């Protein structure tokens, strides 16, 4: 795989849209930089008594439209540039679907698969303490991302609350329901992806029950995306993760695969007996991307669809559940092939949308029913899709460019209205 620096990629995407819309160079310069980037060292006593120091980051890209919002990632490959890129993409994502937030992201360089639960808890609490100078319900609200989950969010909420002296559920979203989490948040990103895919199918005159699907990544986003597309009537014929993949041209039994993952070691898809297994993440991804499917949903990490493998992709629709899975060069190749692209800043905005609902519920201490959450999520995602489609048709451009035109224009308007302080 060709390695692309995600921050360079994010800036390149901004530059391209800035040229296209004739963005004021002063606003462009401001948006090309992150407002704040905090680097923290996180010393943890490991279970064997030894102290290890991990490096962590919290980056706020832009706060013009509201407080910062974005997930926290635990992964050995986390870098400051990656977190900066993810923070910038959060700014655009919130703007595309009209949420009153700016963009942020956090990360710790660690491998949680090689740590005990107690070590992950200590890491989370110390990291939260270190970044608590810039987070808060009115300042910056973290959420789950790769390798973090509702339990990690609970520790973040508790640590922050202990430091300020009162319970502050609004400091983080993606919490368990018992401590101020929202109905529907766990599966919101996948549900949102399904909704925009459903709209795209309708637009392209394709029937869900005649469509085949391949999903890369079977975690929070990939698992729920596969499940909802399965429920929509699509045939999910391939799924891969970091350790391998499973393939079945007749369609995988997704609920059974999810049960297998919950109980298997490493929560991996390999070992599932409802399809042909390919061992090894890279090998399985290579096979998956070559499948002749209608919909390909990369839901793992950035930098997966590159100039080296994009030509082999045969899907009609690519729906980016992950953030930044397609490099700009690969994007051009897919565009030329006529692939209908559902870009990350639209396709995976369902998660931050229900995070927004969770934050609103926490602030008001008034909680909504699941059906109201899902209805409002569907309204926002459907509107987001059609707003972007309208621009794509009017400007005669692809969906990614259209989503960027919408997002960057909205943020630029906020920058212009607020002016430069002092
Ligand atoms: P997760 O940790 O729950 O799952 C990640 C999945 O990707 C796992 O199945 C893992 O095995 C797989 N994976 C990791 N590396 C891989 C590789 N090299 N090849 C193939 N598979 C690999 O994470 P998640 O929360 O589902 O996040 C996945 C992506 O979606 C990330 O890009 C994240 O930023 C983005 N995202 C997440 C949310 C959310 O609400 N969790 C919201 C929007 C976007």
């Amino acid at each position: 795989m060709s390695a692309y620096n995600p921050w360079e990629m994010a800036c390149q995407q901004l530059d391209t849209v800035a040229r296209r819309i004739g963005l004021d160079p002063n606003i462009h310069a401001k948006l090309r930089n992150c407002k704040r980037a905090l680097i923290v060292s996180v010393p943890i006593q490991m279970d064997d008594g030894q102290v290890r120091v991990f490096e962590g980051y919290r980056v706020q890209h832009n706060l013009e439209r509201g407080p910062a919002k974005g997930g926290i990632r635990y992964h050995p490959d986390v870098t400051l540039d990656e977190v900066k890129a993810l923070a910038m993409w959060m700014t655009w994502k919130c703007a595309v679907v009209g949420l009153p937030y700016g963009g942020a992201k956090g990360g710790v360089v660690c491998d949680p698969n090689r740590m005990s639960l107690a070590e992950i808890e200590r890491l989370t609490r110390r990291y939260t303490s270190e970044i608590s100078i810039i987070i808060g319900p009115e300042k910056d609200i973290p959420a789950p991302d790769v390798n973090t989950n509702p339990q990690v969010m609970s520790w973040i909420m508790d640590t922050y609350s202990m430091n300020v002296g009162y319970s502050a559920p609004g400091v983080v979203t993606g919490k368990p329901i018992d401590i101020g989490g929202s109905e529907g948040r766990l599966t919101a990103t996948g549900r949102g992806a399904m909704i925009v895919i459903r709209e795209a199918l309708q637009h392209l005159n394709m029937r869900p029950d005649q469509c085949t699907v391949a999903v890369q990544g079977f975690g929070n986003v990939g698992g729920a995306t596969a499940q909802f597309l399965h429920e929509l009537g699509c045939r999910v014929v391939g799924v891969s993760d970091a350790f391998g993949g499973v393939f079945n041209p007749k369609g995988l039994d997704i609920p059974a695969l999810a049960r297998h993952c919950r109980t298997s070691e490493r929560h991996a898809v390999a070992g599932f007996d409802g399809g042909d297994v390919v061992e090894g993440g890279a090998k399985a991804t290579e096979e998956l991307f070559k499948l002749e499917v209608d919909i390909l949903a990369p839901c793992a990490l950035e930098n997966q669809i590159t100039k080296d493998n994009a030509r082999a992709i045969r899907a009609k629709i690519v729906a980016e559940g992950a953030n930044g899975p397609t490099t700009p060069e690969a994007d051009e190749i897919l565009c030329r092939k006529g692939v209908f692209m559902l870009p990350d800043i639209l396709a995976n905005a369902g998660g931050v949308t229900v995070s927004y609902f969770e934050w609103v519920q926490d602030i008001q201490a008034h909680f909504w029913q699941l059906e109201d959450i899902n209805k409002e999520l569907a309204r926002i995602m459907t509107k987001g899709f059609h707003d972007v489609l309208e621009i794509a048709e009017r400007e005669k451009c692809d969906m990614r460019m259209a989503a960027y035109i919408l997002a960057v224009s909205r943020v630029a308007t906020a920058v212009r209205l607020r002016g430069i302080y002092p």
Side-chain angles (χ1 to χ4, degrees):
M1 298 253 169
S2 68
Y4 220 95
N5 178 314
W7 175 243
E8 282 171 14
M9 170 170 150
C11 287
Q12 199 176 321
Q13 288 167 330
L14 172 61
D15 295 347
T16 308
V17 71
R19 271 195 301 277
R20 173 123 191 177
I21 62 174
L23 183 65
D24 177 338
N26 294 321
I27 294 178
H28 184 190
K30 188 160 195 272
L31 295 178
R32 224 176 178 280
N33 289 277
C34 291
K35 180 180 171 68
R36 289 191 186 101
L38 181 64
I39 304 177
V40 295
S41 63
V42 188
I44 298 302
Q45 183 155 36
M46 307 303 280
D47 291 345
D48 63 6
Q50 191 201 342
V51 171
R52 273 185 64 191
V53 183
F54 296 88
E55 184 154 290
Y57 313 100
R58 184 72 190 171
V59 175
Q60 297 168 354
H61 170 252
N62 184 276
L63 280 77
E64 308 281 349
R65 288 172 47 86
K69 188 91 190 74
I72 288 174
R73 174 175 296 191
Y74 290 170
H75 198 279
D77 298 339
V78 164
T79 62
L80 180 57
D81 273 357
E82 179 189 59
V83 179
K84 283 168 66 179
L86 288 162
M88 186 193 261
W89 290 330
M90 283 306 298
T91 302
W92 310 140
K93 193 182 303 181
C94 293
V96 164
V97 286
L99 304 178
Y101 284 137
K105 205 78 179 192
V108 179
V109 188
C110 66
D111 187 353
N113 292 317
R114 292 166 186 271
M115 295 168 71
S116 72
L117 199 61
E119 288 169 341
I120 295 173
E121 177 175 355
R122 289 197 289 277
L123 176 89
T124 302
R125 288 187 181 279
R126 184 61 190 254
Y127 168 69
T128 304
S129 230
E130 295 296 337
I131 64 165
S132 66
I133 51 175
I134 61 167
I135 64 168
E138 290 172 339
K139 297 199 281 189
D140 178 358
I141 307 110
D145 194 73
V146 175
N147 289 327
T148 59
N149 55 28
Q151 177 59 76
V152 172
M153 300 306 115
S154 304
W155 292 325
I156 293 175
M157 177 221 168
D158 186 66
T159 305
Y160 182 86
S161 299
M162 290 299 122
N163 284 349
V164 295
Y166 52 86
S167 279
V171 68
V172 67
T173 58
K175 301 178 294 295
I177 288 175
D178 302 278
I179 55 168
S182 177
E183 295 282 356
R185 172 61 185 91
L186 205 58
T187 53
T189 311
R191 182 179 286 279
M194 176 275 289
I195 293 165
V196 291
I197 291 168
R198 191 178 63 195
E199 294 303 307
L201 291 176
Q202 204 171 20
H203 167 67
L204 299 170
N205 283 323
M206 292 163 72
R207 281 178 44 177
D209 59 357
Q210 290 174 355
C211 285
T212 50
V213 180
V215 181
Q216 185 204 26
F218 202 66
N220 179 291
V221 179
T225 302
Q227 174 64 32
F228 289 126
L229 289 176
H230 174 78
E231 286 172 19
L232 195 64
C234 301
R235 194 152 38 97
V236 183
V237 295
V239 170
S240 75
D241 64 19
F243 310 103
V246 280
F247 299 85
N248 186 341
K250 295 203 184 90
L252 293 158
D253 180 346
I254 296 299
L257 179 59
R259 277 195 300 279
H260 161 82
C261 282
R262 271 196 296 277
T263 49
S264 77
E265 205 194 336
R266 302 188 301 185
H267 303 292
V269 296
F272 180 59
D273 61 10
D276 298 330
V277 169
V278 172
E279 294 286 346
K283 181 93 194 83
T285 291
E286 198 187 322
E287 295 291 314
L288 189 95
F289 283 0
K290 283 195 292 208
L291 288 178
E292 188 167 0
V293 286
D294 297 292
I295 304 157
L296 170 65
C299 300
L301 292 171
E302 56 268 25
N303 261 328
Q304 298 300 305
I305 304 181
T306 67
K307 64 177 171 31
D308 303 325
N309 60 18
R311 278 181 194 85
I313 287 175
R314 293 149 87 192
K316 297 187 185 76
I317 297 173
V318 170
E320 297 182 326
N323 287 309
T326 313
T327 66
E329 293 146 337
D331 199 33
E332 254 185 69
I333 296 170
L334 295 183
C335 241
R336 274 202 302 271
K337 280 165 72 113
V339 171
F340 190 84
M341 174 64 74
L342 288 165
D344 48 6
I345 58 171
L346 171 67
N348 69 39
V352 70
T353 300
V354 177
S355 272
Y356 166 62
F357 299 160
E358 180 174 334
W359 178 73
V360 169
Q361 292 170 83
D362 288 336
I363 288 171
Q364 299 182 340
H366 177 75
F367 290 86
W368 312 353
Q369 304 290 316
L370 178 61
E371 58 173 335
D372 297 329
I373 300 268
N374 286 344
K375 209 165 125 195
E376 192 59 4
L377 172 65
R379 185 188 68 75
I380 290 178
M381 294 303 294
T382 306
K383 181 175 185 314
F385 174 86
H386 289 284
D387 285 350
V388 172
L389 182 65
E390 198 187 302
I391 294 173
E393 290 182 337
R394 193 182 63 221
E395 299 290 322
K396 301 196 179 5
C397 63
D398 61 274
M399 290 288 280
R400 189 188 308 280
M401 175 59 82
Y404 268 84
I405 291 176
L406 180 60
V408 174
S409 305
R410 281 182 175 162
V411 178
T413 300
V415 175
R416 198 173 307 113
L417 287 170
R418 290 181 59 161
I420 303 283
Y421 176 86

